[in-house]
Amino acid sequence: MSYPKAEMAAGAVPPGPAPVVAQPGAAAPTQWAAAGQAPPGCPKGLEYLASVDQLLVKQKVEAIEAITGFETNNKYEIVNSLGQRVYQAVEDTCCCTRNCCGSSRPFDIKILDNRNTEVIHLSRGLRCSSCWCPCCLQRVTVEAPPGQVVGYVSQAWSLCKPRFKIENAEGETVLRIKGPCCQWEMCGDIEFDVHTEDETTFVGRVTKQWTGLGKELFTDADNFGISFPVDLDIKMKAVMIGAVFLLDFMFYENNKKKNQDDAKKMKH
């Protein structure tokens, strides 16, 4: 299964009636995707997801954080397979929480459309992730629009391999996500497979993409490819986006030091 790559998204300029002329040597500007036809009952702002089955979530590199190690609010860009921006996302967490709680911090993430209007809100409380605390595992609430819950991403109890449930607003499981025992690999992608509720049918995947040695070693900015059925309920597509952010915070948010240590071990 192929996924949009960060390199493709950065330089892709989709066809259009008025080509954009860039200065010599300048990167092509990222264009916003046009809204699709909203299906019946579609929350306002989610019509962009109607006709897509793949997305790329790119975390932006923060220069201050890379140089000083001081944790800043994360920023992301969500693009389609043509490299067109669908949404942008910003973390809204206080400085003390970010730097004291690290990747385990509670967070609020605002997902914004091309009008800078918040269309999806993600929130996570301060919870455990250990299999020894099955009553207080990770859970992200997904609201679209803000104030209207459309679903949840819930960590399921598992001894070795990470497992998650994609739930609707009533808490009913719609999809399940299964991850590998090891959530890090040098020079390779990490895949989290998505299955139907009964786990009999593979329907998609969340892939933590390898972004290059320099970026992996010296930053915690990550890229994730995500695929799902094009006819999946549009609200569940929004919840799947929420799953990407939970995976990022649980396994990759503070991975800079770990990556540096692993790279040193490989030299010996």
Side-chain angles (χ1 to χ4, degrees):
M1 182 177 296
S2 62
Y3 295 87
K5 287 285 186 177
E7 292 79 6
M8 294 170 54
V13 180
V20 177
V21 179
Q23 294 295 325
T30 302
Q31 296 184 356
W32 283 93
Q37 182 66 38
C42 172
K44 185 174 177 58
L46 298 193
E47 58 270 13
Y48 296 92
L49 303 178
S51 59
V52 301
D53 60 358
Q54 293 187 27
L55 292 169
L56 176 67
V57 180
K58 302 190 301 177
Q59 183 175 353
K60 297 181 180 180
V61 177
E62 299 293 337
I64 294 178
E65 183 174 331
I67 295 172
T68 67
F70 184 82
E71 190 69 40
T72 60
N73 274 323
N74 291 343
K75 298 180 179 66
Y76 305 82
E77 186 177 45
I78 303 173
V79 302
N80 60 22
S81 57
L82 297 176
Q84 299 169 323
R85 185 186 292 125
V86 180
Y87 299 116
Q88 55 187 355
V90 293
E91 180 187 0
D92 184 17
T93 307
C94 74
C95 175
C96 181
T97 299
R98 290 195 309 272
N99 290 280
C100 292
C101 298
S103 61
S104 299
R105 63 186 180 268
F107 64 69
D108 287 278
I109 293 177
K110 300 177 180 180
I111 299 181
L112 314 171
D113 65 7
N114 61 350
R115 299 180 181 86
N116 210 36
T117 300
E118 185 179 4
V119 295
I120 304 174
H121 187 91
L122 311 176
S123 58
R124 176 183 76 162
L126 186 62
R127 302 172 69 94
C128 297
S129 59
S130 169
C131 63
W132 303 112
C133 301
C135 61
C136 194
L137 296 176
Q138 296 291 305
R139 184 178 175 91
V140 168
T141 301
V142 182
E143 303 171 23
Q148 181 66 47
V149 174
V150 295
Y152 306 91
V153 186
S154 297
Q155 182 186 8
W157 186 89
S158 177
L159 192 60
C160 296
K161 296 183 178 181
R163 291 174 175 261
F164 300 87
K165 298 181 292 182
I166 300 297
E167 302 171 339
N168 60 21
E170 288 71 40
E172 301 166 337
T173 301
V174 178
L175 299 171
R176 294 183 183 271
I177 299 176
K178 299 179 183 179
C181 284
C182 179
Q183 293 84 48
W184 192 86
E185 180 179 343
M186 177 65 79
C187 302
D189 295 346
I190 308 297
E191 297 177 340
F192 295 79
D193 291 339
V194 183
H195 295 80
T196 53
E197 187 277 333
D198 57 7
E199 301 188 25
T200 59
T201 306
F202 171 83
V203 296
R205 180 170 288 149
V206 177
T207 303
K208 194 281 182 184
Q209 298 179 345
W210 172 258
T211 56
L213 188 62
K215 191 172 180 181
E216 293 284 344
L217 288 180
F218 300 110
T219 77
D220 55 15
D222 301 299
N223 294 334
F224 290 85
I226 175 174
S227 71
F228 37 65
V230 68
D231 59 350
L232 180 67
D233 185 314
I234 202 165
K235 296 177 182 178
M236 293 302 100
K237 291 183 179 181
V239 180
M240 283 291 296
I241 293 175
V244 171
F245 290 95
L246 179 58
L247 293 175
D248 183 30
F249 273 82
M250 286 186 65
F251 303 119
Y252 306 107
E253 173 61 13
N254 284 346
N255 61 358
K256 180 170 65 174
K257 184 178 185 303
K258 179 182 183 301
N259 291 351
Q260 291 172 341
D261 292 341
D262 288 345
K264 290 178 182 178
K265 291 177 183 178
M266 292 184 67
K267 293 180 181 179
H268 299 295

